Amino acid sequence: MYLKTTNVADRAIEKKEETSEILEHEELDPKVEKYSDLATDLDKKKKIMMILMEHEVSKVEAKKVPSKLSIEDMKELLGKYSYSARAKYMRFLAEKECKKMAEQLRKEAKLIKRNEWLVEKQNLKPAEHIQYGIGHNTMVLRVRKSSIMRYANQRLANSVLFGQKVIVDMDFDCFMRKQDCNNCGEQLLELYGTNRKNCFPFDLTFCNVDLNSPTMMSLQRYMPTLYSPDNFITLTNKSYLDLYPRDKLVYITPYAKEPLKVYDPNAVYIIGGLVDKCVREPVVLAKAKKEGIRAVHLPYDEYLMWGRGAKSLPLNVLLEIMLEMKNVNDWKKAFRYVPKRKLVRSLDLFAEYS
């Protein structure tokens, strides 16, 4: 009896495996063929078909969904394991698509208006005297956007040669969720913009970089020119210990015990590249101690009345404070950039410097 049952079970397993192999090797449905790189096994194929069905049903029910799903969107949806999470993400994609469409319509309307103005300008008779104003004579030289970009690039090039070094440590993806990695990529883009606008920017170096990590892929999505030669960001997979002497490195983390009372223009400051909304452990401080690097926190308590929550700031705000300290060496002026929502009240700080 035992041998007979075993044989039946073995035949059932073999039949199931044969059926799976047939399904895996049969031609893909035309709807799934677009996502053939993602359909690596039978379960993925079934889930892709289910997501496409949910997308079509939501369209019929007039719910907020995008007009089509790209490969990147499908890859993100495959990582969500509940219907509500997928519906929420599709709603986000629909809102994003609507904003993009509205922006496109605005640009087209602006272009039509400009063409009408050019036709009207050509039909105008030449004036007998000088005409000032938009589209006419002017004594002020027009500063174009390309000129501003070249000027900003020149400042960044000077910072690479002569500026103070600031490192962003990109070794914390394993501690963040997918959403936090996306937020981190957005903050890194704002950090780059903040540095670029400053008259005396830092020389930014991203260390411990993995180009395939979620944060770097998010940053590349927000900043398509990330790998172009004119962005003046040094990307390296090496550690900062391989690039600079240990005694010059200073790690900035709110969990450190030592306050940064005196700003050192010769030090190489390190900022942890993470969004710590869900990270409750002092992972940055632990890494600094493990590597034997000096760790400091900004002296908030001496100048500000902090509210609830951890004393952590967005990466771009932290860099803005460091830039102000480098330029004016005054903590009171530098802490003007701390968001007011973080504070109970400031010690006459904004009244004094507003």
Side-chain angles (χ1 to χ4, degrees):
M1 181 64 70
Y2 175 74
L3 291 174
K4 186 177 180 181
T5 306
T6 304
N7 293 334
V8 171
D10 291 340
R11 284 198 298 271
I13 292 172
E14 290 176 1
K15 188 175 180 181
K16 185 177 180 181
E17 289 178 353
E18 290 175 0
T19 307
S20 299
E21 289 178 1
I22 292 171
L23 288 172
E24 286 178 1
H25 289 88
E26 69 180 358
E27 292 185 1
L28 288 173
D29 188 279
K31 295 181 179 178
V32 187
E33 191 174 359
K34 177 182 176 182
Y35 315 102
S36 57
D37 294 339
L38 301 177
T40 55
D41 53 28
L42 185 61
D43 293 335
K44 290 285 181 64
K45 293 177 187 177
K46 289 181 178 178
K47 191 165 184 180
I48 289 173
M49 288 295 296
M50 181 184 67
I51 291 172
L52 292 174
M53 189 182 301
E54 291 174 355
H55 182 248
E56 293 297 330
V57 170
S58 298
K59 275 186 178 180
V60 173
E61 295 177 352
K63 292 183 180 179
K64 284 187 176 181
V65 290
S67 58
K68 57 183 179 179
L69 296 174
S70 66
I71 297 176
E72 289 295 325
D73 298 337
M74 181 60 71
K75 185 177 180 181
E76 187 72 24
L77 288 167
L78 285 173
K80 301 187 180 301
Y81 298 99
S82 65
Y83 171 77
S84 59
R86 291 192 293 272
K88 185 177 179 181
Y89 186 71
M90 285 189 188
R91 188 164 57 250
F92 162 74
L93 292 175
E95 292 174 356
K96 187 177 178 182
E97 186 178 3
C98 288
K99 288 180 181 179
K100 188 175 181 180
M101 192 179 299
E103 181 67 18
Q104 184 66 26
L105 292 174
R106 187 188 67 81
K107 288 182 179 179
E108 291 176 359
K110 187 177 179 180
L111 182 61
I112 293 172
K113 190 175 181 180
R114 175 173 173 77
N115 291 334
E116 291 176 354
W117 176 78
L118 289 174
V119 172
E120 183 181 352
K121 181 182 177 182
Q122 290 176 356
N123 296 330
L124 288 175
K125 294 181 180 180
E128 299 178 356
H129 55 83
I130 296 177
Q131 289 185 333
Y132 294 103
I134 298 175
H136 302 289
N137 305 94
T138 178
M139 295 183 294
V140 181
L141 180 64
R142 180 179 180 182
V143 181
R144 299 183 181 274
K145 186 177 180 180
S146 58
S147 301
I148 298 174
M149 297 289 286
R150 286 197 297 270
Y151 179 58
N153 287 342
Q154 183 61 43
R155 288 198 305 244
L156 289 176
N158 290 337
S159 71
V160 171
L161 296 174
F162 311 109
Q164 186 178 3
K165 315 297 180 184
V166 166
I167 295 172
V168 181
D169 188 4
M170 304 296 297
D171 198 22
F172 298 100
D173 277 51
C174 57
F175 298 101
M176 294 188 289
R177 303 172 302 172
K178 177 70 175 178
Q179 181 180 355
D180 294 333
C181 290
N182 291 336
N183 293 340
C184 186
E186 189 173 358
Q187 288 187 17
L188 288 172
L189 175 64
E190 294 180 4
L191 176 142
Y192 172 74
T194 298
N195 189 59
R196 184 187 179 89
K197 292 176 185 176
N198 199 274
C199 294
F200 304 99
F202 287 119
D203 176 21
L204 291 178
T205 301
F206 288 15
C207 289
N208 299 313
V209 172
D210 179 8
L211 299 180
N212 296 321
S213 64
T215 300
M216 288 303 299
M217 293 178 69
S218 172
L219 178 59
Q220 186 180 3
R221 189 166 62 253
Y222 289 121
M223 186 178 176
T225 60
L226 177 62
Y227 303 127
S228 64
D230 60 346
N231 65 357
F232 297 100
I233 298 178
T234 304
L235 302 174
T236 177
N237 57 359
K238 294 182 180 179
S239 172
Y240 36 80
L241 295 172
D242 301 329
L243 303 175
Y244 302 101
R246 194 187 303 268
D247 56 348
K248 280 193 173 184
L249 298 174
V250 180
Y251 225 124
I252 300 176
T253 169
Y255 294 99
K257 294 182 179 180
E258 179 187 353
L260 181 62
K261 293 186 177 181
V262 180
Y263 182 86
D264 185 2
N266 298 317
V268 179
Y269 290 102
I270 307 173
I271 300 172
L274 80 162
V275 174
D276 55 353
K277 287 185 177 180
C278 293
V279 182
R280 303 304 177 190
E281 295 80 12
V283 292
V284 177
L285 179 61
K287 185 179 181 185
K289 285 185 176 181
K290 182 180 178 181
E291 296 175 339
I293 299 173
R294 179 189 171 200
V296 298
H297 70 266
L298 302 184
Y300 301 122
D301 297 333
E302 298 182 15
Y303 300 94
L304 304 173
M305 187 69 70
W306 202 269
R308 293 183 178 181
K311 296 179 181 178
S312 58
L313 295 172
L315 301 178
N316 57 304
V317 175
L318 181 57
L319 188 78
E320 203 157 13
I321 292 172
M322 299 301 292
L323 283 167
E324 190 73 11
M325 276 301 298
K326 180 170 74 76
N327 296 334
V328 301
N329 197 20
D330 188 341
W331 284 114
K332 288 185 177 180
K333 288 185 177 180
F335 283 148
R336 288 183 300 172
Y337 298 104
V338 176
K340 293 185 179 181
R341 67 178 184 274
K342 297 275 188 179
L343 308 175
V344 176
R345 65 179 181 87
S346 59
L347 302 179
D348 300 327
L349 176 64
F350 300 101
E352 184 177 352
Y353 290 100
S354 60

